[in-house]
Amino acid sequence: MQEFADSVKLEIQNSFAELKQQLIELARIPGIAWEAFDANQLELSVQAVAKLFDETQVFDNVQILRSSANGRPGAPAVVARRAAKNGKPQILLYAHHDVQPPGDRALWESEPFEVSRRSDRLYGRGAADDKAGVITHIYSLKGLKEMAESLRIGVTVFIEGEEEAGSPTFRNFLEENRELLEADVIIVADSSNWTTATPALTTTLRGLVSQVIEISTLDHALQDRKSTR
């Protein structure tokens, strides 16, 4: 076990400069799934992510897919799959490539989509949430491929494109691609650590519920009129 841990550590050290640069390049793309923003940037984002997973040479196929809801097309997602061999489990890796809008520019100390380094941290919209999750999956697979004599486990990657916009087509996407996404274990690279120096493993997620409640009222006040005799 220690020998394997040492190999992992060495692989991370050897590839760290490359993966950091890939993260910076991904974070420069303002892929925002909200309707008010340029959808072309979201397409550039999904194309860049698909290319990175294709270049790992791990998968049987890498696809860009989307679903729709309420007559509106959803944001593009990447789905890559390598089938398990000899009865080994199928692992699904999840992250998302879309990001939150930058908000008020005056609140930023640097350009939101030009990643800057301050001390030992990178700052830029989406650099952590969740472009870092995408890069984590990619370089974990690259490292596994380098260290394993043969890769027999199955790996499916699902990189969503509308998580920050509330995932309006998520359920339809899952239903339409159920067989493609079927897995024994799901690993989500979109959760938190206790601190910047203390990693954490999240075992349960509650999901998200959204509701719209409409209330109708009278258009004028009522007076209490007492009848007189």
Side-chain angles (χ1 to χ4, degrees):
M1 182 63 72
Q2 185 60 47
E3 182 180 353
F4 180 77
D6 291 341
S7 297
V8 171
K9 185 176 181 180
L10 181 61
E11 182 64 28
I12 292 172
Q13 291 174 342
N14 291 339
S15 61
F16 191 77
E18 178 184 326
L19 72 84
K20 184 174 69 173
Q21 186 58 38
Q22 292 285 7
L23 173 59
I24 291 172
E25 292 178 9
L26 278 186
R28 284 174 175 163
I29 306 173
I32 302 169
W34 296 18
E35 292 184 359
F37 293 84
D38 185 2
N40 291 325
Q41 295 295 333
L42 203 58
E43 296 295 332
L44 291 175
S45 177
V46 77
Q47 292 286 348
V49 171
K51 183 174 182 291
L52 288 174
F53 279 104
D54 190 42
E55 289 175 348
T56 64
Q57 298 182 344
V58 168
F59 301 97
D60 300 324
N61 58 73
V62 179
Q63 305 177 69
I64 295 176
L65 303 172
R66 70 176 77 218
S67 186
S68 61
N70 302 318
R72 295 183 177 182
V78 173
V79 178
R81 184 177 176 86
R82 174 195 179 94
K85 298 179 181 179
N86 301 325
K88 296 299 181 180
Q90 189 77 24
I91 313 299
L92 189 146
L93 307 177
Y94 170 91
H96 63 88
H97 68 91
D98 67 305
V99 301
Q100 281 281 350
D104 186 356
R105 173 62 185 84
L107 299 177
W108 286 82
E109 296 182 15
S110 55
E111 290 297 326
F113 294 104
E114 284 296 333
V115 179
S116 63
R117 178 172 178 171
R118 298 197 289 276
S119 186
D120 60 347
R121 307 283 291 175
L122 295 178
Y123 291 83
R125 175 59 85 215
D129 186 11
D130 191 28
K131 302 293 178 66
V134 175
I135 292 297
T136 296
H137 286 327
I138 289 170
Y139 281 87
S140 295
L141 290 169
K142 284 186 174 183
L144 183 61
K145 183 181 176 184
E146 289 294 325
M147 291 181 290
E149 293 182 3
S150 62
L151 193 59
R152 291 178 291 173
I153 62 168
V155 180
T156 304
V157 171
F158 174 28
I159 308 298
E160 189 187 354
E162 56 184 28
E163 193 272 351
E164 297 290 8
S167 303
T169 71
F170 189 77
R171 179 169 182 169
N172 291 346
F173 191 98
L174 296 183
E175 291 175 349
E176 293 166 9
N177 299 283
R178 182 171 181 172
E179 292 185 4
L180 187 61
L181 298 172
E182 187 174 3
D184 299 290
V185 177
I186 299 174
I187 299 175
V188 177
D190 186 24
S191 54
S192 301
N193 289 329
W194 293 115
T195 70
T196 57
T198 307
L201 181 64
T202 301
T203 58
T204 304
L205 295 173
R206 292 180 297 176
L208 177 69
V209 175
S210 177
Q211 293 181 329
V212 176
I213 299 175
E214 296 184 2
I215 301 176
S216 298
T217 64
L218 297 174
D219 61 1
H220 61 278
L222 290 177
Q223 286 185 325
D224 184 13
R225 296 182 179 180
K226 297 180 180 181
S227 59
T228 59
R229 295 183 179 178

